[in-house]
Amino acid sequence: MLTIGKKEFWFVVGSQHLYGEETLLEVKKHAEILVTELNESGKLPYPIVLQELAVTADKITRVMKEANYHDEVAGVITWMHTFSPAKMWIRGTKLLQKPLLHLATQFNESIPWETIDMDFMNLNQSAHGDREYGFINARLKKQNKIVVGYWKNSKVQKQVAEWMDVAVAYNESFNIKVARFGDNMRNVAVTEGDKVEAQIQFGWTVDYFGIGDLVQYVDAVKETEIEELFNEYKTLYDFDYGSYDHQVWEDHVKAQVKQEIGLRRFLEAGNYNAFTTNFEDLYGMQQLPGLSVQRLMADGYGFAGEGDWKTAAIDRLMKVMAHNENTGFMEDYTYELAEGKESILQSHMMEVDPALATNKPKVVVSPLSMGNREDPARLVFDGKSGEGVVVTMSDFGTHFKLLINEVSAFEPEEKAPHLPVARVLWKVKPNFTEGVQSWIENGGGHHTVVSLNLTTDQIATWAKMVELDYVVIK
Ligand code: MN
C-alpha cells in the first residue's frame, strides 16, 4: 500500500498553579496512567505522547508552536483535569494549525461519596474546567472535536480513534498530488472546478500532463518485467478467457500489465498519490487503462475517470482515513426501481476499486464502446455488503459543497453473465425517493467515493476542519 509517514498525537493536560505543587504532581501521575493505558488499549490507530502540564500561557503557546512544525504530529488532544483559566489558552490555541480534540473526561469514573472532600473536588474538576476551556474554543471558532465520557469506555476510545483517522487524513490532504492525464471529459460540468481554490482550501496539488508523457514511461517497460507481473496476476486472480484466443487474450492483459508498471513509475517519479485518465485522450496508448488503474487503486492511489481531479483527491483522502479498507471511486449507473427493491447499481466503464470486492476478482477482456482502442482487460467482481457513506464534491462557483449520503450496500443475488465490469449495489438513506431527490437537488455528481469503513461524522469532521459546506442525507 501507498504509505504515509509516522504519525503521533500530543496529549496536553490543562491545570494551573493555584492548587499547589502536590496537586500538580497528582495531575501528572493521572495523565501518565491515562496516556499509558490508552496507548496499550490497542484501540487507537496512532500513539499519543504526553506533553508538559499546561499551567501557564507560555507553556501552552510553546507546545502548540512545536506541534505545528513537527510533521509527525497529526493533532493535539487536550484534557482539563482541573480548572485551567482559558485566557492562558488563547495565544496557543490561535497559533495551533493542527486538528484539536477536547477530551471531556475525568480520571475517576464515579464520585466517591464516602471519602469526597474539598481536596478531591479541587483535584477532579473536569466538569468545571471543560466549560471554561470549551468557551474559548467556541469563541475562537476552533472547529475542534469534543469527545465526552469516561476514558476507559470503549465507545469513547472508538470516537477518539475515528477522530485520529480524520486528523491524519486532514494532514495528508496537504500532501495530495493529483496527476491528470488529459483534461476533463469534453462538455461534462460537475467534474469541473477551481483548482487554485482547492489548493488553498484543501491543500491539493493538481497537475496536468499530456498523455504522451505517460506513453514514454509505458513504452520503456521491459518484456521481462511484464512477464514477472503477469505471473503474479495468475496467483491473485481467476483468468476468464471468454471466447478469445488464449494468446490474443494474454497480449491484451499484458498491455495493462505494461501500463501498470509505467503508470506506477510515472507517479512515483513525481511523488503523485492520485491520478485521473480520460478515454478521449489516449494518443499512443494501446488500451484505455482499466486493470492497471484498478491495481493502483488497490494499493491506495486515489483515482477518478474523465479528468475528475476532485473525486480522485477525495478518493485518496478517504483511503488514508480508512487505512485503504473498503473505500473507493464509484459511479451511479443504473436504477433498480421495482417496488421494495429500489437501489442503485454502481460501477464504472472498468475502473472499480478491488478494495470493495467480496469475491476473488477475475480478469476479463471485453470490447469497450468508448476509447476507440483495442479491447481492454479489467478485473470483474461483486461488491461487499455493509453500512457506509458515499461522498461527492461539487463546485458552485462561489464555494465547494460536499454531499454525504448514508448507504447500505448489499451483495447482488442475480448473476449478470453479460456484464463485463465489477458491480456494487446499494440502497440510499433515508429511502430511495428522498435520498435520490436530495442528492440531485443539492447538485451532487455522478462520480463519488464510497466507504464501508467510515462514518458520516468522520466526513463531517473533516469538512469542518477545512471550513467546507456539507450536506448530510441520512
Ligand atoms: Mn465516469
Side-chain angles (χ1 to χ4, degrees):
M1 146 135 191
L2 191 58
T3 52
I4 55 171
K6 181 181 158 288
K7 297 291 178 198
E8 65 183 37
F9 288 80
W10 281 6
F11 197 78
V12 180
V13 181
S15 191
Q16 62 172 325
H17 281 293
L18 186 69
Y19 313 110
E21 289 314 300
E22 206 180 314
T23 301
L24 288 183
L25 281 174
E26 198 70 6
V27 169
K28 189 163 178 268
K29 201 174 84 188
H30 287 172
E32 282 164 358
I33 292 168
L34 183 145
V35 166
T36 304
E37 286 196 26
L38 284 181
N39 280 331
E40 286 173 356
S41 71
K43 299 277 177 60
L44 304 185
Y46 302 94
I48 52 176
V49 183
L50 182 61
Q51 303 300 305
E52 203 183 354
L53 287 185
V55 288
T56 66
D58 285 346
K59 282 183 198 290
I60 294 166
T61 302
R62 190 163 64 235
V63 76
M64 298 306 178
K65 279 160 86 171
E66 292 206 14
N68 281 343
Y69 75 76
H70 279 92
D71 284 344
E72 74 276 16
V73 180
V76 172
I77 301 173
T78 50
W79 172 36
M80 298 303 119
H81 190 301
T82 64
F83 188 77
S84 186
K87 285 183 184 173
M88 297 195 311
W89 289 83
I90 292 174
R91 178 73 176 143
T93 304
K94 275 183 78 180
L95 288 174
L96 180 67
Q97 293 169 318
K98 301 268 172 92
L100 176 65
L101 182 142
H102 173 191
L103 183 57
T105 190
Q106 183 172 272
F107 188 69
N108 55 306
E109 187 175 22
S110 294
I111 297 173
W113 292 112
E114 289 293 319
T115 55
I116 188 168
D117 55 13
M118 271 324 283
D119 283 348
F120 182 93
M121 277 221 300
N122 279 331
L123 177 64
N124 298 282
Q125 50 173 321
S126 297
H128 188 184
D130 281 337
R131 283 151 180 80
E132 167 72 1
Y133 173 68
F135 160 71
I136 213 67
N137 287 335
R139 176 148 175 181
L140 294 173
K141 298 187 175 67
K142 201 61 193 168
Q143 303 294 347
N144 60 297
K145 184 80 179 169
I146 303 164
V147 172
V148 182
Y150 185 46
W151 57 279
K152 288 190 187 182
N153 183 312
S154 62
K155 271 190 200 158
V156 170
Q157 293 178 354
K158 187 166 179 276
Q159 286 180 64
V160 174
E162 288 180 353
W163 172 83
M164 280 180 157
D165 284 333
V166 177
V168 166
Y170 166 86
N171 283 275
E172 283 302 299
S173 192
F174 296 93
N175 297 326
I176 289 178
K177 282 184 74 180
V178 186
R180 307 175 71 217
F181 301 110
D183 201 340
N184 291 64
M185 180 180 166
R186 286 185 281 277
N187 286 314
V188 173
V190 75
T191 58
E192 287 285 356
D194 182 342
K195 297 191 280 291
V196 177
E197 195 55 36
Q199 187 155 9
I200 293 169
Q201 198 174 354
F202 316 123
W204 304 340
T205 303
V206 184
D207 290 339
Y208 166 86
F209 292 95
I211 192 72
D213 295 326
L214 175 60
V215 169
Q216 282 187 335
Y217 274 77
V218 173
D219 287 349
V221 175
K222 295 190 182 76
E223 286 302 319
T224 50
E225 294 171 328
I226 297 170
E227 288 303 323
E228 200 180 316
L229 189 54
F230 182 76
N231 286 331
E232 198 185 315
Y233 283 13
K234 282 181 189 166
T235 66
L236 296 171
Y237 313 116
D238 290 331
F239 283 7
D240 182 350
Y241 291 92
S243 56
Y244 285 86
D245 169 81
H246 282 215
Q247 192 54 52
V248 171
W249 187 91
E250 287 192 1
D251 288 346
H252 282 221
V253 175
K254 283 174 185 171
Q256 294 278 338
V257 174
K258 195 174 170 183
Q259 281 180 358
E260 177 188 333
I261 298 169
L263 256 169
R264 199 182 290 275
R265 283 194 183 137
F266 184 98
L267 297 171
E268 281 171 0
N271 212 14
Y272 291 99
N273 41 35
F275 65 106
T276 66
T277 56
N278 185 340
F279 65 88
E280 292 169 332
D281 193 348
L282 292 174
Y283 190 83
M285 297 283 279
Q286 254 176 286
Q287 299 173 12
L288 173 66
L291 202 163
S292 56
V293 167
Q294 292 176 293
R295 295 264 308 162
L296 288 161
M297 289 168 154
D299 278 350
Y301 284 89
F303 173 81
E306 294 92 55
D308 182 357
W309 54 271
K310 294 199 300 296
T311 306
I314 293 173
D315 190 25
R316 172 62 186 158
L317 181 88
M318 286 174 60
K319 278 173 169 287
V320 171
M321 213 183 280
H323 302 263
N324 200 28
E325 287 173 9
N326 303 325
T327 301
F329 167 60
M330 204 55 69
E331 183 167 76
D332 292 287
Y333 237 105
T334 301
Y335 292 134
E336 167 59 57
L337 293 174
E339 205 171 339
K341 292 171 75 178
E342 293 94 338
S343 54
I344 311 176
L345 170 60
Q346 307 288 326
S347 192
H348 203 257
M349 57 179 99
M350 289 191 288
E351 314 91 319
V352 184
D353 198 322
L356 294 156
T358 189
N359 52 358
K360 187 178 180 185
K362 58 182 180 181
V363 180
V364 171
V365 175
S366 177
L368 189 72
S369 54
M370 285 168 280
N372 193 25
R373 290 290 180 281
E374 69 178 40
D375 302 353
R378 77 289 306 271
L379 292 172
V380 177
F381 54 85
D382 288 341
K384 285 176 189 168
S385 62
E387 298 299 303
V389 286
V390 58
V391 177
T392 195
M393 187 195 280
S394 307
D395 185 337
F396 284 83
T398 51
H399 62 286
F400 290 107
K401 185 162 80 178
L402 199 71
L403 256 71
I404 309 163
N405 194 181
E406 294 186 352
V407 297
S408 300
F410 61 99
E411 291 180 26
E413 283 171 7
E414 294 87 353
K415 290 195 183 333
H418 303 294
L419 188 67
V421 286
R423 55 183 179 152
V424 174
L425 272 164
W426 66 54
K427 291 177 183 294
V428 300
K429 292 184 180 174
N431 56 64
F432 181 81
T433 310
E434 290 175 64
V436 172
Q437 189 183 10
S438 295
W439 188 272
I440 296 170
E441 209 165 63
N442 278 290
H446 49 269
H447 280 172
T448 62
V449 180
V450 69
S451 177
L452 303 181
N453 276 44
L454 300 174
T455 65
T456 294
D457 182 67
Q458 285 179 294
I459 308 298
T461 297
W462 174 74
K464 282 180 196 161
M465 286 176 183
V466 293
E467 296 176 348
L468 168 63
D469 281 5
Y470 67 94
V471 172
V472 177
I473 306 166
K474 65 177 181 181

